[in-house]
Amino acid sequence: MAWDAQAPDWAEPPQTAPRWPVWLRACLGGIEDPLGAMSRARLQLFLWMPVALAGGVGVYFARLTEPSASEYALAAGLALMAAVLALRAALPMRFPAALVMLAALGFLLAGLRAHSVAAPVLSFRYYGPVTGRIVMIDRAASDQIRLTLDTVRLDRVSPARTPARVRVTLHGAVPEALEPGAQVMMSAHLSPPPPPAAPDAYDFRRSAWFDQLGAVGYTRSPVLRAAPPDPRDWALAAHRTRMRLSQAIQARITGQPGAIAAALMTGDRSGLSEATREAMRRSNLAHLIAISGLHMGMLAGFVFGLVRYGLALAGRPALIWATKKLAAVVALIAATAYLWLAGPAVSTQRAWIMVSVMLGAVLMDRRALSLRTVALAASLLLIWKPESLTEPGFQMSFAATTALIVALGPWTRAARRLPRLLRPVLMLVATSLIAGAATAPIVAAQFHRLSEYGVLANLLAVPAMGLLVMPMGVLAAILAPLGLAGPALWALGLGTGWILRVADWVSGFEGSVLAIAQPDPRVIPLLALGALGLILTRGVGRSVSVIAILAAALLWSRAPTSRPALLIAPEAQQVGLMTAEGRALSKPGAGFISGRWLEADGDPASVEEAAKRPAFTGTRATRQTQFRTAPLIHLTGKSAPDRLDEACTPGAIVVIAARIPEAPRTCELWDLTRLRDTGAVAIDSEGRITTAAQTKGRRLWTRP
């Protein structure tokens, strides 16, 4: 149509779109119509809410220094100004303004949360009497029982310097009378939460800070029960109930199948042996023993179906009653009871929020499974516990759920053309493949391993969870007050026994686990933003998303060749030198740190195998090798300072597990005094030094 010459003065003639090539128009579709793109984006603001919040939270945790009061004030002002723009600005500005507001809010929430949980952290090694109340009983990686205590009292340590919580591993005999709420006393070795094993390694101090865990340690002395649990202590009533139910389940279902059943039904994993845990990890079934969205969803789904179809048997009243909503209410009550019983684990709380949001959608006549419900659940979690963003469980849960919802539409269309009998089987295969593909990058980046037969293990084990384990657990809970839970527990044991056999079988395959080198820390954020961009954007947004994913892949491909040539442990207890055969360790031992190094290298060798690699020579207390053009000597033992003068030759690098008052200037010395300031040390093949203090910064949780 020709331009109307009688149009008002303020009207502009329509602009003819440039005749770009088809492929370029596809890439720049959002730019051709910016107003339309902004309008579409504004309608999707709810879906972008957790992304923007996560951006602000991520900025807080990525900083190397703690934000100052002025920086918090600046973020608050930015959030307020962006909120005003989001409400009153012109249409193209509203969506970006809303994203800025949410990001600033995420930054503020993360800082508020970090300061609100502040508690004393032990700054020295302590040995002496420890008194406290048991708040948690679990099992360490060494298969030893460990106790988490609060209301802690330490000899000759003022209350202002006493940690709110400590965790003690029991190396001696374990009393049978231990239960949550009991007051206990012991003589224990305590130390601050350990620093990272390497500059780029996971920092346990951060998670300990948010758990208010101010010291960890061990005891070889007997644990004495000073007082029984206070019956009026309702805060630990759930934990006591959990432990009693766990003991009852394991008394009826013996062995590790009973321990798995107790873990699934009550959240108590103290009965699981390290061999069982490792088999579950190697077969990619570890998610089955950590109560998560799978368990909560199966339980709520079974209760929902049981109540809804049960009410349908009522006949004519079922036509009047809102049976679907009644079933949703009962399922929500069951999920809440499961949350109360299973305890305060973050994965359990996250699962309950997701299930509650979905059941709430049913009550409001909305779709239970949609990107909006996932976005709401993620936003609530980030507002409540912003540190969840840094946890693998949060990342994997929402990655799997989002991928399954995105794939639900195409699957529904494809399923109509499939034989009815094959649909459930193919649905199981499809969900396992989709969830596995969505979480595989996170598993590989966070745990440095991939289970090559994980899909097979899940195809065999997950149906037993849904068809036998969770339904029988619910029935056992219903029948237990009547004393009729025996048959249900027997069937429950069959299901958990099958899961254990699948885990043992799959983990025994040759090459069942593929070792993956630790990627650059930017890889997971880039992958996440790229995947979300593909889902939530069009045109140029999708092009940028593809670029982000390709950049992440490029960074990850460089991971094996970018590993440090030399690593020094934070307390000089181990030195690792990269060789053509892999990282050679100066000595056996320091199992936790040595294991983390090898995992990050993508090296499947054991600590003992790495210590036997030909690189270091000499006695056990004096290990030496060559690094670049300089001698490298590792000195340990009580007589290490006496051997320093002989080892400290000009140009040599000396690592010594002792404090040297006056460091000699003839060699590069790394002693405990210097390492206390730097933490773990990494040196690359060019001689560039990186320390944990540089990469972790000065944050609330890194200060002594």
Side-chain angles (χ1 to χ4, degrees):
M1 180 182 297
W3 173 244
D4 186 2
Q6 302 302 318
D9 295 338
W10 48 262
E12 296 180 1
Q15 300 295 317
T16 304
R19 301 301 299 172
W20 292 334
V22 173
W23 64 270
L24 189 57
R25 290 205 306 271
C27 291
L28 303 178
I31 291 180
E32 288 188 54
D33 182 16
L35 287 178
M38 287 296 178
S39 298
R40 291 191 298 270
R42 188 166 59 90
L43 294 176
Q44 288 188 319
L45 179 61
F46 194 87
L47 301 182
W48 281 99
M49 180 167 61
V51 181
L53 284 171
V57 173
V59 168
Y60 173 81
F61 284 109
R63 288 177 57 96
L64 294 179
T65 58
E66 198 63 30
S68 63
S70 59
E71 289 175 306
Y72 282 125
L74 180 63
L78 180 63
L80 183 60
M81 183 174 64
V84 172
L85 286 175
L87 293 174
R88 298 189 176 183
L91 180 61
M93 292 294 297
R94 291 184 184 180
F95 178 68
L99 293 184
V100 171
M101 177 197 70
L102 290 168
L105 182 61
F107 181 85
L108 292 169
L109 288 171
L112 176 63
R113 169 71 175 166
H115 284 276
S116 67
V117 298
V121 176
L122 200 65
S123 59
F124 56 92
R125 291 184 180 274
Y126 170 89
Y127 174 71
V130 178
T131 305
R133 181 185 64 158
I134 299 175
V135 293
M136 183 177 295
I137 303 173
D138 64 348
R139 192 177 291 270
S142 60
D143 258 356
Q144 304 292 331
I145 294 295
R146 62 185 181 188
L147 309 176
T148 302
L149 311 176
D150 69 355
T151 62
V152 179
R153 293 190 297 277
L154 304 178
D155 191 32
R156 298 187 303 277
V157 179
S158 66
R161 299 179 63 196
T162 301
R165 290 188 172 194
V166 302
R167 193 168 67 194
V168 182
T169 302
L170 309 184
H171 288 287
V174 181
E176 295 183 359
L178 294 182
E179 60 178 323
Q183 294 283 339
V184 295
M185 57 190 306
M186 67 195 80
S187 293
H189 297 263
L190 297 178
S191 59
D200 59 350
Y202 167 72
D203 194 351
F204 171 73
R205 296 173 298 181
R206 184 172 62 194
S207 60
W209 175 267
F210 286 97
D211 290 337
Q212 296 187 312
L213 186 65
V216 296
Y218 66 93
T219 180
R220 300 186 188 279
S221 63
V223 178
L224 304 178
R225 176 166 156 161
D230 185 350
R232 296 168 297 178
D233 184 5
W234 287 99
L236 291 174
H239 202 158
R240 290 196 294 270
T241 304
R242 180 185 319 131
M243 299 305 292
R244 290 168 185 163
L245 287 176
S246 174
Q247 293 170 2
I249 291 173
Q250 293 183 68
R252 299 293 295 271
I253 308 173
T254 59
Q256 287 302 290
I260 293 177
L264 294 174
M265 295 298 108
T266 69
D268 172 32
R269 291 182 281 176
S270 61
L272 294 169
S273 68
E274 181 58 23
T276 297
R277 294 170 186 260
E278 182 62 17
M280 299 293 278
R281 286 192 290 263
R282 292 179 65 88
S283 59
N284 199 28
L285 294 179
H287 63 98
L288 296 185
I289 56 176
I291 295 177
S292 59
L294 175 68
H295 309 72
M296 196 73 74
M298 286 181 172
L299 178 135
F302 178 75
V303 172
F304 180 87
L306 187 68
V307 172
R308 189 175 185 189
Y309 289 112
L311 291 174
L313 299 176
R316 183 173 297 178
L319 301 176
I320 303 173
W321 298 338
T323 57
K324 186 176 180 180
K325 294 185 178 181
L326 288 173
V329 170
V330 176
L332 182 58
I333 294 172
T336 304
Y338 193 32
L339 169 70
W340 178 81
L341 177 64
V346 175
S347 61
T348 311
Q349 297 169 345
R350 180 174 58 247
W352 180 83
I353 289 176
M354 293 183 68
V355 167
S356 299
V357 169
M358 292 178 183
L359 291 173
V362 173
L363 293 174
M364 293 185 291
D365 296 317
R366 303 276 182 164
R367 284 180 56 192
L369 285 173
S370 70
L371 289 178
R372 285 181 169 270
T373 56
V374 175
L376 178 58
S379 299
L380 290 175
L381 265 171
L382 290 171
I383 292 170
W384 180 35
K385 288 190 174 181
E387 71 274 15
S388 299
L389 179 69
T390 64
E391 297 167 356
F394 176 94
Q395 299 166 10
M396 290 190 291
S397 291
F398 285 103
T401 306
T402 302
L404 289 170
I405 290 175
V406 170
L408 183 62
W411 165 257
T412 303
R413 292 190 294 271
R416 295 171 186 163
R417 297 190 290 270
L418 298 174
R420 187 176 297 273
L421 294 178
L422 288 178
R423 290 179 191 175
V425 177
L426 295 177
M427 181 66 172
L428 178 61
V429 174
T431 53
S432 296
L433 289 173
I434 293 167
T439 58
I442 301 170
V443 173
Q446 299 281 10
F447 304 109
H448 319 308
R449 59 164 70 184
L450 274 180
S451 177
E452 295 203 62
Y453 304 101
V455 173
L456 172 63
N458 279 274
L459 288 176
L460 296 173
V462 172
M465 278 286 298
L467 299 176
L468 195 60
V469 174
M470 297 308 293
M472 290 302 105
V474 174
L475 292 179
I478 295 173
L479 297 174
L482 304 176
L484 302 175
L489 288 175
W490 174 79
L492 175 60
L494 291 180
T496 55
W498 169 256
I499 291 173
L500 182 59
R501 286 192 291 274
V502 169
D504 289 336
W505 178 57
V506 172
S507 64
F509 291 171
E510 184 177 353
S512 60
V513 175
L514 179 65
I516 306 291
Q518 178 175 311
D520 186 285
R522 294 168 292 182
V523 165
I524 291 301
L526 282 172
L527 284 176
L529 289 174
L532 290 170
L534 289 177
I535 295 170
L536 300 178
T537 64
R538 300 191 329 189
V540 70
R542 290 191 175 179
S543 302
V544 173
S545 301
V546 171
I547 293 172
I549 293 174
L550 293 176
L554 178 62
L555 286 173
W556 204 329
S557 68
R558 298 168 53 190
T561 59
S562 61
R563 296 297 302 155
L566 179 66
L567 287 170
I568 302 174
E571 295 187 354
Q573 65 269 52
Q574 186 65 278
V575 175
L577 178 67
M578 185 64 76
T579 68
E581 298 179 4
R583 192 170 302 278
L585 302 178
S586 61
K587 56 190 295 184
F592 177 80
I593 289 176
S594 303
R596 301 294 82 76
W597 287 356
L598 295 172
E599 287 178 3
D601 291 338
D603 190 341
S606 65
V607 175
E608 292 73 19
E609 292 170 344
K612 293 178 181 177
R613 286 171 174 161
F616 288 89
T617 59
T619 64
R620 179 179 177 85
T622 304
R623 305 291 288 165
Q624 53 192 5
T625 186
Q626 193 80 8
F627 175 60
R628 302 179 71 218
T629 60
L632 171 65
I633 300 99
H634 183 203
L635 303 178
T636 57
K638 294 182 179 179
S639 63
D642 300 333
R643 289 174 270 128
L644 178 59
D645 289 339
E646 180 183 353
C648 194
T649 58
I653 301 173
V654 180
V655 180
I656 182 169
R659 297 186 185 279
I660 306 302
E662 293 186 11
R665 298 183 179 181
T666 53
C667 64
E668 180 78 10
L669 182 69
W670 295 93
D671 70 330
L672 293 183
T673 302
R674 185 178 183 184
L675 289 171
R676 177 180 174 84
D677 295 331
T678 64
V681 178
I683 306 177
D684 66 14
S685 58
E686 301 297 324
R688 289 184 291 264
I689 298 174
T690 304
T691 68
Q694 292 171 337
T695 59
K696 305 305 179 184
R698 295 283 294 173
R699 305 304 305 273
L700 293 173
W701 46 87
T702 63
R703 297 171 183 169

